[in-house]
Amino acid sequence: MCDQDHFEEDLKKYSRRDIGTLAAAGIGAAMMLPKVADAAEVSGRDVEIETPDGKCDAYFVAPSSGSHAAVLIWPDIFGLRPAFRQMGKRLAESGYSVLVVNPFYRQQKAPTAANGANTSIAEVRPLARSLTPETHTTDAQAFVAWLDKQAQVDTGKPIGTTGYCMGGPIVFRTAAAVPDRIGAAATFHGGGLVSDGDDSPHRLIPKMKADFLIAVAENDDQRDPEAKTVLKESFEEANLAAEIEVYPAGHGWCPPDTRVHNPEQAEKAWSRMLALFEKALA
């Protein structure tokens, strides 16, 4: 995953320097995301959400009229930033009420990475390590409860959740913490989904009710090729639908501001997510 020692090594193989140069120059992530066909008019705002540990700063964006299925987005280790705001806006334009959270609110408000996705892993690693399975769970419960109070959210429809990099395990814990509300879940280059520990995210699958999309980076798969098999078998035993695929792209390929962003494979993953939501959040 993104906080392991091989991050810089993998950059040599997967770095898209044209994307990194644009991001470093301050060119907006919106310019790197394809437009949504028949996009809904949306409005977004910064919000604060009460949790057992304080107030979480977040970004909420939804179609300007009506109520819609909600989606909770957990960012990668670089946190809530312009790229994830744009990703949230793009998803809202497809008809969802979207909450993008700052998972590190206990330490500081967003932005939590000084140089966005170009920040060194060493600088943000302590933030990631400050989180625990317990904070994942209590945060998930608080954020889902907040969403269900918003006029833009149709509480008659299930909620979706997505997570990138370190957000992958949080997605699993969200689906297990609020199983009666989470109907669809997607992880993109999620790290640490399977381990030998008793608190491994995959051990929570029997508690879930959601359909899953798990998009795996090829370099993550190369380092732990058995993980996808364990996940497949675990979902089958729980009788849950799960699309698990290894993508020909490096860890971190989805957010448009990363140095390993792969536009073609990111669009494929995005389209599979939309297909999942269309089916499971209806």
Side-chain angles (χ1 to χ4, degrees), residues 209-223:
K209 298 180 181 180
D211 291 349
F212 265 77
L213 165 67
I214 300 177
V216 184
E218 68 174 4
N219 53 335
D220 290 337
D221 181 63
Q222 289 164 1
R223 289 184 169 88

Side-chain angles (χ1 to χ4, degrees), residues 11-12 14-23 258-260:
L11 279 177
K12 297 175 183 178
Y14 295 104
S15 178
R16 300 292 292 263
R17 295 189 182 280
D18 53 337
I19 298 296
T21 300
L22 288 172
T258 69
R259 287 175 283 175
V260 296

Side-chain angles (χ1 to χ4, degrees), residues 37-236:
D38 301 319
E41 181 179 344
V42 302
S43 57
R45 68 182 192 273
D46 292 329
V47 298
E48 284 192 338
I49 301 170
E50 291 283 353
T51 80
D53 295 326
K55 292 184 178 180
C56 172
D57 52 308
Y59 176 65
F60 182 61
V61 57
S64 299
S65 62
S67 59
H68 310 268
V71 178
L72 169 60
I73 297 180
W74 299 96
D76 59 24
I77 197 170
F78 301 113
L80 174 57
R81 58 190 190 277
F84 270 87
R85 288 173 178 266
Q86 291 296 338
M87 291 163 68
K89 179 176 180 289
R90 185 187 187 198
L91 185 54
E93 289 174 342
S94 291
Y96 298 95
S97 297
V98 183
L99 180 66
V100 190
V101 299
N102 167 22
F104 308 126
Y105 69 90
R106 293 171 182 83
Q107 281 68 45
Q108 65 185 90
K109 290 185 176 295
T112 53
N115 295 307
N118 287 304
T119 306
S120 71
I121 290 295
E123 184 176 329
V124 292
R125 184 183 290 123
L127 292 173
R129 290 180 174 173
S130 71
L131 304 179
T132 67
E134 290 72 28
T135 64
H136 294 168
T137 298
T138 56
D139 281 349
Q141 293 168 336
F143 299 152
V144 167
W146 185 90
L147 280 167
D148 277 342
K149 294 177 182 177
Q150 306 311 305
Q152 299 92 333
V153 172
D154 184 346
T155 57
K157 295 182 177 180
I159 290 175
T161 184
T162 68
Y164 298 76
C165 179
M166 65 160 224
I170 310 180
V171 161
F172 273 56
R173 295 191 175 104
T174 300
V178 201
D180 291 331
R181 290 298 289 126
I182 303 299
T187 72
F188 304 94
H189 38 87
L193 301 181
V194 176
S195 75
D196 294 331
D198 292 338
D199 62 350
S200 175
H202 84 280
R203 300 190 193 282
L204 296 172
I205 291 173
K207 298 182 178 181
M208 304 174 188
K209 298 180 181 180
D211 291 349
F212 265 77
L213 165 67
I214 300 177
V216 184
E218 68 174 4
N219 53 335
D220 290 337
D221 181 63
Q222 289 164 1
R223 289 184 169 88
D224 189 5
E226 295 302 317
K228 60 182 180 295
T229 302
V230 172
L231 288 168
K232 180 180 179 181
E233 292 174 349
S234 298
F235 280 112
E236 287 178 348

Side-chain angles (χ1 to χ4, degrees), residues 256-278:
D257 63 338
T258 69
R259 287 175 283 175
V260 296
H261 177 61
N262 185 314
E264 179 181 357
Q265 295 304 318
E267 281 307 293
K268 177 184 175 180
W270 189 268
S271 69
R272 297 311 303 153
M273 176 190 69
L274 291 179
L276 169 68
F277 288 171
E278 184 176 355

